[in-house]
Amino acid sequence: MKTYKIALIKGDGIGPEIIDEAVKVLDSVASCFDFDFEYEEALMGGCAYDVTGDPLPQETINIALNSDAVLFGAIGGVKWDKLPREKRPESGLLRFRKELGVYANLRPAVVYDELINASSLKPSVVKGVDLMVVRELIGGIYFGEPKGRDENKGWNTMVYTRDEIVRIAHQAFKIAMTRSKKVCSIDKANVLDVSQLWREVVEDVAKEYPEVELSHMYVDNAAMQLIRDPKQFDVMLTGNIFGDILSDEASMLSGSIGLLPSASVGAKIGVYEPIHGSAPDIAGQGIANPIATIASASMMLRYALGENEAADKIDNAIKRALKEGYRTKDLAAYDAKEVCSTSEMGSIIANYAAK
Ligand code: IPM
Ligand code: MG
């Protein structure tokens, strides 16, 4: 019997509720295989600041580094918005990514047929969408120097080195090899020097993957094409800020931000988290949609632990719950047969996943 050590960072707002449901599903699926989980909780975000004065205590980094993978809920909330920037929950998250070295953020956007009417776009445009944003996560303008501000001026710098581009490009091409073998690299090479280098280096890396078809697109055009014809995309390779923006846009193709998972990988320990935020306005009411977090747990099984069969079981259980008409409140207007609470949805999926 194998025991996987999972660091649980529940975070703020709805974080604890949705992580609890993912744990329920993980334990349920594990009962069908010869592995189980040992969880260790760690604080990050506003809750960590409240207890320790630091949104990312060192102990949290230690617990994460001592695990096989990190399952992460969500952080932040209006309560901490007035704090100086380095004390804010978001700063903790950025430091966490950097400390772990997770440079590749994988954000799939999949449209579930059962929820085709939930999208704000026409069914004919979104039916069958299945794309993956591969976003560079620990470089670019988020971290570049110089940066600063004074009374009348604020400045940040977008920097990428060849090595940083090479490693994220490899991730994108490797993922494309397991999918439809298309990479569209996003940049602003008509304006930015950093993007010119990006494009050249991506071209170089592409030579090692002759089966993969590479195209390039300016980021403004990509934002437009995602809405016009999202089915043209398989893997979208982006820098940090372009991927931040485009992955939010891509997520809405599916109709609910409550559905989509993500994985941050590239280092020894990966971080698996829903793409949505902590939604403090609905926290504690039992109405949050746990599916994105449950799907993140499935990505963790697949990418961190190599338990593909168990991951398939969870993915199929999510599809089955949606197909049978179970909906949390956010999706109640879309072909719901039964509207259920956060914990009921977790139990339904846990039950299907164990079959
Ligand atoms: C995300 C978020 C973060 C980011 C924020 C909270 C720092 O928007 O994970 O996409 O910009 O990376
Ligand atoms: Mg974002």
Side-chain angles (χ1 to χ4, degrees):
M1 179 92 140
K2 240 177 303 170
T3 297
Y4 295 118
K5 280 173 93 168
I6 307 300
L8 289 183
I9 300 182
K10 296 185 175 182
D12 307 315
I14 59 171
E17 305 162 53
I18 54 181
I19 288 285
D20 287 349
E21 298 317 308
V23 166
K24 197 191 270 179
V25 175
L26 281 171
D27 286 339
S28 164
V29 82
S31 69
C32 313
F33 297 91
D34 64 345
F35 62 80
D36 63 6
F37 298 103
E38 190 185 297
Y39 304 101
E40 189 164 7
E41 283 190 42
L43 292 175
M44 197 205 298
C47 60
Y49 173 80
D50 286 348
V51 175
T52 68
D54 183 349
L56 178 63
Q58 183 61 39
E59 197 198 345
T60 295
I61 300 171
N62 298 346
I63 291 174
L65 290 174
N66 187 32
S67 68
D68 292 309
V70 179
L71 189 62
F72 187 96
I75 54 153
V78 278
K79 187 176 162 201
W80 303 283
D81 275 354
K82 294 265 143 49
L83 290 172
R85 217 196 31 220
E86 72 284 358
K87 296 282 181 202
R88 289 182 52 146
E90 293 83 355
S91 301
L93 178 59
L94 294 181
R95 254 202 298 136
F96 187 63
R97 291 170 174 168
K98 192 85 175 173
E99 291 266 359
L100 261 59
V102 286
Y103 64 82
N105 185 218
L106 319 182
R107 298 191 166 182
V110 179
V111 173
Y112 292 99
D113 279 351
E114 294 75 23
L115 289 173
I116 192 102
N117 295 318
S119 176
S120 53
L121 298 184
K122 286 193 208 106
S124 60
V125 174
V126 292
K127 189 171 166 42
V129 163
D130 180 0
L131 63 87
M132 172 89 86
V133 177
V134 177
R135 168 191 176 194
E136 200 290 326
L137 199 59
I138 56 174
I141 197 166
Y142 274 51
F143 294 92
E145 298 282 352
K147 65 175 176 203
R149 60 158 297 170
D150 59 27
E151 183 70 8
N152 299 310
K153 196 168 139 194
W155 60 97
N156 292 86
T157 310
M158 194 187 286
V159 191
Y160 272 115
T161 63
R162 180 174 295 274
D163 289 350
E164 286 174 320
I165 305 167
V166 165
R167 66 184 186 180
I168 189 68
H170 276 294
Q171 287 279 351
F173 284 105
K174 283 196 184 119
I175 288 163
M177 285 299 288
T178 68
R179 301 172 44 98
S180 302
K181 300 197 170 73
K182 277 167 45 180
V183 169
C184 181
S185 173
I186 310 299
D187 63 38
K188 190 73 186 174
N190 50 344
V191 178
L192 304 176
D193 297 291
V194 56
S195 282
Q196 280 165 13
L197 177 71
W198 178 279
R199 198 174 270 224
E200 276 169 37
V201 175
V202 172
E203 294 271 352
D204 280 351
V205 173
K207 294 185 188 125
E208 295 178 43
Y209 302 87
E211 284 174 56
V212 178
E213 179 193 319
L214 170 67
S215 59
H216 302 276
M217 202 179 269
Y218 298 139
V219 61
D220 49 348
N221 186 26
M224 186 267 279
Q225 295 293 340
L226 260 180
I227 299 296
R228 195 187 71 84
D229 176 23
K231 269 177 279 191
Q232 69 184 284
F233 296 110
D234 177 26
V235 172
M236 299 178 88
L237 164 61
T238 78
N240 204 343
I241 197 162
F242 295 161
D244 180 44
I245 298 164
L246 293 180
S247 63
D248 263 29
E249 189 187 352
S251 75
M252 267 329 274
L253 300 170
S254 77
S256 167
I257 196 146
L259 294 172
L260 297 176
S262 78
S264 301
V265 300
K268 220 171 114 233
I269 317 292
V271 183
Y272 297 82
E273 60 179 302
I275 68 157
H276 60 70
S278 61
D281 51 322
I282 61 162
Q285 299 175 31
I287 57 174
N289 188 343
I291 290 182
T293 314
I294 295 169
S296 303
S298 159
M299 282 187 100
M300 179 180 86
L301 286 168
R302 202 180 296 283
Y303 291 93
L305 311 177
E307 299 288 356
N308 292 347
E309 222 183 301
D312 288 343
K313 270 181 178 283
I314 294 182
D315 292 346
N316 290 333
I318 292 172
K319 282 191 202 124
R320 181 162 165 206
L322 291 174
K323 193 168 187 160
E324 302 206 343
Y326 294 106
R327 303 279 186 269
T328 39
K329 200 175 160 210
D330 51 319
L331 294 169
Y334 305 102
D335 310 309
K337 282 207 203 78
E338 196 175 320
V339 177
C340 46
S341 69
T342 307
S343 120
E344 283 161 352
M345 183 61 105
S347 300
I348 290 159
I349 296 172
N351 183 28
Y352 290 162
K355 293 226 165 96

